[in-house]
Amino acid sequence: MWKGNEKMVKNLKKKEGNRGESHVNDCWLTGELAGPVVLLNGCRTKTSLLFIEDYVSEMLLYGELFLTDGPCTVKNATKSALKTYGIPEKIVMAKQYFSEMSRFYKVFEGIGICTVYVDEKLFFRKVNRWKECFTKWKCRMERGRYASLKELNYLFLKMYYREYFNAIQPNYKMTPRERFLLDIDEIVFLDPAAVEESFNKKII
């Protein structure tokens, strides 16, 4: 496990410029975005979006809104993505996750994943269409009244599938799902039970 720097981010950008030489699960990005400020049970509440994105297909592998002042665990998000979408070559995370995820170094090392931590300013330089969709959705949701966080997450996923996941993307002329499945033969999958056990024991 090592800390990333500006050079590493530039190398990722070079890959982005020639996606034909990259395949899905080359790299995952894990981070947070400020969510809408909404009324939950009559109380003004700040939310944030925890996400995991495949760098090449720009498909969300995990996305969930949580209370900004409440508990958030990137561990569970990472487990969920690994069980469903296979094993990436590297995971790039915002530095804020270092203290939580450093405990699972042996898990990533055993699976063969390089874990990289970068400054948030570098991390969010990459702008893609799903983040633009999220920003517009966030503005529409601001100050709305919702029964629960579950309802807000449902509305987020509904927007994501309608406006992004099933939409043709101009940079690779297919939907994110189609781009991800294009490289399905390149993806290494592990038994979900083995992933769960590895995190419980913190080893692989």
Side-chain angles (χ1 to χ4, degrees), residues 1-2 78 82 87-91 93 101-117 190 195 198-199 201-204:
M1 182 166 14
W2 52 281
T78 305
L82 289 172
I87 307 303
E89 292 182 17
K90 69 173 73 71
I91 301 177
M93 297 184 180
M101 296 308 290
S102 61
R103 295 178 295 149
F104 301 98
Y105 168 61
K106 288 187 177 180
V107 175
F108 295 122
E109 185 182 51
I111 297 174
I113 300 173
C114 174
T115 311
V116 182
Y117 296 90
L190 286 180
V195 174
S198 298
F199 272 86
K201 293 182 177 180
K202 301 181 185 177
I203 58 173
I204 193 73

Side-chain angles (χ1 to χ4, degrees), residues 5-19 22 26-29 55 90 92 116 118 123 126:
N5 52 33
E6 183 109 21
K7 183 178 179 181
M8 184 278 299
V9 174
K10 286 180 179 178
N11 288 337
L12 285 178
K13 286 181 176 292
K14 287 180 182 178
K15 272 194 169 186
E16 182 188 20
N18 191 356
R19 292 178 184 274
S22 303
D26 271 349
C27 176
W28 289 359
L29 304 179
Y55 191 83
K90 69 173 73 71
V92 179
V116 182
V118 298
F123 188 86
K126 181 175 185 288

